């Protein structure tokens, strides 16, 4: 238990939980490597016993026993591989939910700028390495001394030659690490950044195509890609050279040990069987080192993946279990709230104070860059307050359990994204589909008739970008998703940016329906058409709350502030005093 408390990340904790499986794999490796001595013993018996005696029965029995032991070894190999397959699968199952959450958080807090599945890809690649031959070499390497010890039993010179050859190959492996690890690590880093940039470019393909930016973007991608190819080629060339040297050394050493064995056999110091067995045993002893050199590229990649995962899991702890709170009513209070986008140093909202009662409808207006969308994210608990608090029903909105709070929240972002699936699944937020609630939400958003006109109605499958739906259609389906269920707080960020007059009328009708249900509604907008449905207006300017009152009062203040100042009255100069002197 003490050991578990010292673990630094969930990755190490997962490995700790699977320690018994690794121990089992090591035990199977022990028996497999002991059975690797069977060919050597068989060879010794043939040369030293069967051939001199000419006993056919002995040959038959030795062959049958050897085949049985080979079959046993094959079974043990299969069981060991199954253990590693199952343990690698278990590790991925233990970590994939955490890594999915981390990838989601990184995208959420960066506004989508750091959206990446790299952590999940690293986990999959690490699992694949654990089930490959590269890991088997590391399990087999500790038994090299056993083979060398057996070779010493043949003759000290045979054992000494095995040690010298093993040391040379180990030195080659170390050199391989030095000349390849840096280049491969740099290549992987550049490749990851280049892939992320390419994905972003593909998302904005329409902009690139329309303004003829493809050649420039392709040139930038090719420049980075050539750098990756150069680094990988240099590392691969060095690794191939060292692998070739390793192979030549291993083959040459097996031939040399045959020569040494022949010399010792001539001198009557070992038997001819020991000569052949020594060569076979040396090949087996050096095989793990040769496998490690050949698979070093995969090992370096796995080591980098492990380091990235371990660092990521250590930096971003798992969410703590939170106590359930009563269902919210929609009362919002900002207490000297200062909000900055995650990772930014400058605050966008500064010292914001206000209270919004349950069932109020509030329009948030102001010039571009005033902090309106930032306020929407802060009210929903997407971005935490750097200082101060934003509370929902008295509790810090950032500390609510999101899965419990989600059904009470409706959100229509500025850029509406629909997810791959049917329209009914999108509206039902990919939970259990309640057909009555789906239809009710669609009717509230006045999109029911439009959906029925689609080829398969509510079962129409759309792509991640909304398929063939127009921007206005996506926005209205997004509104239906926000209204699904019984939300008590609905935040709409520029909900009428893609709507025509009919769509705006439907939006106004939906807001009136929410008011009748005593739902708190926050509408961020640049367009004034929707302000007539608001009870209150909030005006932001340069991150400051400059006005918050009833709609009519705020509009009157704005109108008064926009009136031109009266022109100053012209003051005529006084007529000169003419004094007449009469003589």
């Amino acid at each position: 238990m003490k050991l578990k408390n010292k673990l630094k990340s969930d990755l190490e904790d997962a490995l700790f939980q699977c320690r018994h499986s690794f121990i089992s794999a090591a035990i199977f490796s022990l028996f497999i490597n002991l059975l690797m001595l069977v060919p050597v013993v068989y060879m010794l018996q043939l040369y030293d016993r069967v051939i001199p005696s000419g006993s056919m029965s002995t040959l038959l029995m030795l062959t049958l026993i050897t085949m049985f032991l080979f079959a046993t070894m094959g079974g043990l190999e299969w069981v060991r591989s199954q253990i590693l397959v199952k343990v690698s699968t278990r590790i991925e199952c233990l970590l994939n939910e955490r890594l999915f959450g981390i990838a989601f958080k990184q995208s959420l807090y960066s506004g989508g700028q750091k959206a990446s599945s790299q952590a999940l890809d690293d986990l999959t690649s690490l699992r694949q390495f654990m089930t490959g031959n590269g890991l088997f070499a590391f399990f087999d390497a500790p038994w090299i001394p056993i083979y060398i010890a057996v070779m010493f039993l043949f003759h000290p010179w045979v054992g000494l030659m095995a040690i010298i050859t093993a040391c040379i190959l180990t030195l080659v492996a170390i050199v391989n690490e030095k000349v390849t690890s840096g280049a491969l690590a740099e290549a992987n880093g550049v490749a990851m950044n280049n892939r992320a940039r390419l994905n972003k470019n593909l998302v904005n393909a329409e902009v690139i195509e329309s303004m003829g930016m493809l050649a420039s973007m392709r040139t930038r991608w090719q420049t980075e890609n050539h750098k990756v190819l150069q680094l990988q080629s240099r590392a691969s060339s060095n690794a191939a050279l060292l692998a070739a040297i390793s192979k030549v050394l291993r083959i040459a050493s097996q031939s040399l040990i045959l020569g040494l064995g022949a010399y010792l056999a001539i001198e009557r110091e070992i038997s001819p069987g020991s000569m052949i067995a020594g060569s076979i045993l040396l090949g087996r002893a050096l095989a793990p080192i040769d496998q490690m050199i050949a698979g070093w590229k995969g090992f370096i990649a796995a080591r980098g993946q492990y380091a990235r995962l371990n660092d990521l899991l250590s930096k971003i702890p798992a969410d703590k279990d939170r106590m359930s709170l009563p269902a919210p009513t929609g009362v919002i209070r900002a207490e000297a709230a200062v909000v900055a986008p995650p990772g930014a140093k400058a605050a966008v909202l500064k010292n914001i104070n206000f209270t919004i009662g349950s069932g109020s409808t509030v329009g948030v207006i102001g010039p571009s860059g005033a902090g309106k969308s930032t306020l929407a994210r802060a009210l929903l608990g997407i971005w935490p307050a750097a200082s101060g608090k934003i509370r929902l029903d008295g509790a810090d909105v950032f500390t609510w359990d999101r899965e419990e709070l989600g059904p009470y929240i409706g959100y229509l972002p500025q850029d509406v994204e629909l997810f791959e699936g049917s329209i009914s699944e999108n509206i039902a937020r990919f939970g259990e589909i309640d057909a009555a609630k789906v239809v009710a939400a669609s009717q509230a958003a006045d999109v029911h008739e439009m959906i029925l006109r689609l080829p398969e109605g509510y079962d129409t499958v759309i792509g991640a970008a909304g398929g063939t739906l127009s921007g206005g259609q996506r926005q209205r389906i997004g509104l239906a998703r926000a209204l699904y269920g019984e939300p008590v707080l609905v935040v709409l960020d520029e909900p009428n940016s893609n709507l025509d007059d009919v769509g705006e009328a439907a939006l106004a009708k939906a807001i009136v329906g929410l008011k009748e249900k005593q739902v708190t509604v926050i509408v961020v907008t640049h367009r004034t058409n929707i302000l007539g449905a608001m009870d209150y207006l909030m005006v932001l300017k340069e991150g400051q709350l400059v006005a918050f009152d009833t709609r009519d009062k705020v509009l009157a203040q704005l109108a008064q502030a926009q009136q031109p100042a009266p022109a100053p009255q012209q003051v005529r100069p006084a007529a000169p005093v003419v004094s007449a002197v009469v003589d």
Side-chain angles (χ1 to χ4, degrees):
M1 193 66 184
K2 291 182 179 179
L3 176 61
K4 188 174 180 179
N5 293 334
K6 292 180 181 179
L7 296 175
K8 297 181 180 180
S9 74
D10 288 348
L11 178 56
E12 292 171 328
D13 188 27
L15 293 174
F16 181 82
Q17 291 184 45
C18 298
R19 65 192 184 280
H20 297 299
S21 297
F22 287 114
I23 293 172
S24 299
I27 293 173
F28 274 94
S29 297
L30 167 63
F31 289 104
I32 290 169
N33 282 274
L34 288 176
L35 288 172
M36 287 291 184
L37 296 173
V38 169
V40 176
V41 175
Y42 183 67
M43 184 70 65
L44 284 172
Q45 295 301 314
L46 289 181
Y47 274 88
D48 297 344
R49 178 174 297 181
V50 175
I51 293 176
S53 67
S55 175
M56 297 301 292
S57 59
T58 303
L59 175 61
L60 178 60
M61 290 304 298
L62 284 174
T63 303
L64 291 175
I65 292 172
T66 300
M67 292 300 103
F68 172 76
L69 292 176
F70 280 161
T72 302
M73 183 176 66
L76 294 177
E77 286 269 16
W78 181 81
V79 172
R80 181 177 68 169
S81 66
Q82 292 303 302
I83 290 173
L84 292 178
V85 167
K86 291 185 181 300
V87 73
S88 64
T89 303
R90 184 185 178 194
I91 289 174
E92 178 154 353
C93 291
L94 287 171
L95 295 175
N96 56 15
E97 185 176 342
R98 274 275 288 124
L99 291 173
F100 182 90
I102 287 174
F104 178 79
K105 283 184 178 180
Q106 287 180 320
S107 178
L108 178 67
Y109 296 157
S110 66
Q113 297 300 313
K114 293 183 179 179
S116 173
S117 62
Q118 182 63 45
L120 292 167
D121 294 339
D122 282 345
L123 181 61
T124 299
S125 299
L126 188 61
R127 175 180 59 79
Q128 291 172 345
F129 173 78
M130 292 177 63
T131 58
N133 292 329
L135 189 61
F136 291 154
F138 287 91
F139 275 108
D140 294 338
W143 311 112
I144 294 176
I146 296 176
Y147 300 132
I148 295 177
V150 174
M151 296 175 75
F152 267 103
L153 294 177
F154 295 158
H155 195 280
W157 285 13
V158 175
L160 184 61
M161 184 173 180
I163 290 177
I164 293 173
T165 307
C167 289
I168 293 174
L169 289 180
T170 302
L171 181 62
V172 172
I174 294 173
V175 173
N176 190 30
E177 154 74 6
K178 296 297 183 182
V179 300
T180 60
S181 59
L184 284 176
E186 185 179 356
N188 289 335
V190 175
M192 286 170 53
N193 293 332
N194 201 31
R195 187 164 56 249
R197 189 182 298 114
L198 175 62
N199 290 336
K200 192 172 184 65
N201 291 342
L202 293 175
V203 171
N204 295 282
E206 291 182 0
V207 175
I208 294 173
E209 176 68 14
S210 63
M211 293 189 286
M213 298 165 59
L214 180 60
S216 300
M217 292 297 183
R218 183 173 57 241
T219 300
R220 289 187 65 186
W221 173 80
Q222 287 178 331
T223 301
E224 294 298 305
N225 195 51
H226 287 160
K227 185 177 180 180
V228 173
L229 293 176
Q230 289 173 355
L231 290 168
Q232 289 180 339
S233 297
R234 188 176 70 196
S236 297
S237 297
N238 292 335
L241 174 61
L242 292 169
I245 293 173
S246 170
K247 185 176 181 179
V248 169
L249 287 173
R250 182 168 60 84
I251 296 173
S253 65
Q254 287 182 269
S255 297
L256 288 174
I257 205 168
L258 276 174
L260 176 62
Y263 169 77
L264 294 174
I266 293 172
E267 294 294 325
R268 306 286 184 176
E269 296 188 28
I270 63 173
S271 66
S274 298
M275 175 186 72
I276 303 297
S279 177
I280 296 174
L281 202 54
L282 179 64
R284 179 56 206 160
L286 300 180
I289 301 176
D290 202 42
Q291 285 179 351
M292 284 190 285
I293 294 174
W296 201 254
K297 183 177 178 180
F299 171 71
I300 291 176
R303 186 175 62 183
Q305 292 151 4
Y306 176 89
R308 286 194 297 271
L309 290 173
N310 198 42
D311 182 62
L312 189 64
L313 290 165
S314 298
K315 286 182 177 179
I316 305 179
D319 293 331
K320 297 179 180 178
D321 292 333
R322 303 184 186 278
M323 189 186 78
S324 297
L325 296 173
T329 61
V331 177
I332 301 174
R333 181 176 295 108
E335 301 172 350
V338 176
V339 182
K345 295 181 179 179
V348 175
L349 296 178
K350 308 158 191 173
N351 198 35
I352 301 293
N353 291 277
F354 60 80
T355 299
I356 299 175
S358 175
S360 302
T361 55
V362 180
V364 182
I365 59 177
S368 297
K372 301 186 297 297
S373 293
T374 299
L375 177 62
R377 294 185 177 100
L379 293 178
L380 294 167
I382 297 173
W383 288 356
S387 64
K389 296 291 181 184
I390 293 182
R391 301 184 182 278
L392 175 62
D393 281 41
D396 184 349
V397 68
F398 192 71
T399 63
W400 278 78
D401 184 289
R402 303 312 303 184
E403 292 190 7
E404 292 185 1
L405 180 61
Y408 299 101
I409 299 294
Y411 178 43
L412 181 65
Q414 195 168 5
D415 298 319
V416 180
E417 293 289 346
L418 299 179
F419 304 100
E420 188 168 353
S422 68
I423 289 179
S424 60
E425 287 176 320
N426 272 273
I427 295 175
R429 308 179 183 186
F430 285 85
E432 184 177 350
I433 297 176
D434 186 323
K437 291 183 178 180
V438 169
V439 172
S442 301
Q443 290 174 336
D446 201 18
V447 74
H448 176 66
E449 297 296 332
M450 184 271 288
I451 293 175
L452 292 180
R453 289 193 294 270
L454 294 174
E456 297 183 43
Y458 283 93
D459 296 321
T460 302
V461 176
I462 56 177
T468 58
L469 299 177
S470 68
Q473 289 174 323
R474 291 200 304 271
Q475 200 157 32
R476 291 171 70 179
I477 292 175
L479 177 61
R481 180 178 62 192
L483 303 181
Y484 179 78
E486 298 179 356
V488 298
L489 170 63
V490 175
V491 178
L492 310 175
D493 192 356
E494 300 290 352
N496 51 352
S497 58
N498 293 313
L499 299 182
D500 54 16
D501 293 341
V502 175
E504 285 211 17
L507 174 63
K509 180 180 177 183
I511 293 175
V512 171
L514 292 172
K515 288 171 64 175
E516 293 174 352
K517 296 179 181 179
Q518 288 297 296
V519 176
T520 304
V521 182
I522 312 294
V523 180
V524 175
T525 183
H526 277 101
R527 300 169 67 172
T528 58
N529 298 5
I530 201 66
L531 297 183
M534 300 295 104
D535 295 329
Y536 301 91
L537 290 182
M538 182 182 295
V539 183
L540 294 176
K541 185 176 182 181
E542 297 180 356
Q544 301 279 353
L545 181 61
V546 296
F548 180 36
D549 210 325
T550 60
R551 180 195 61 213
D552 295 338
K553 287 184 179 180
V554 172
L555 289 177
Q557 292 175 13
L558 293 176
Q560 184 176 1
Q562 291 175 356
Q563 287 181 356
Q569 295 182 355
Q570 295 183 353
V571 180
R572 294 182 180 180
V577 177
V578 180
S579 58
V581 179
V582 179
D583 292 334

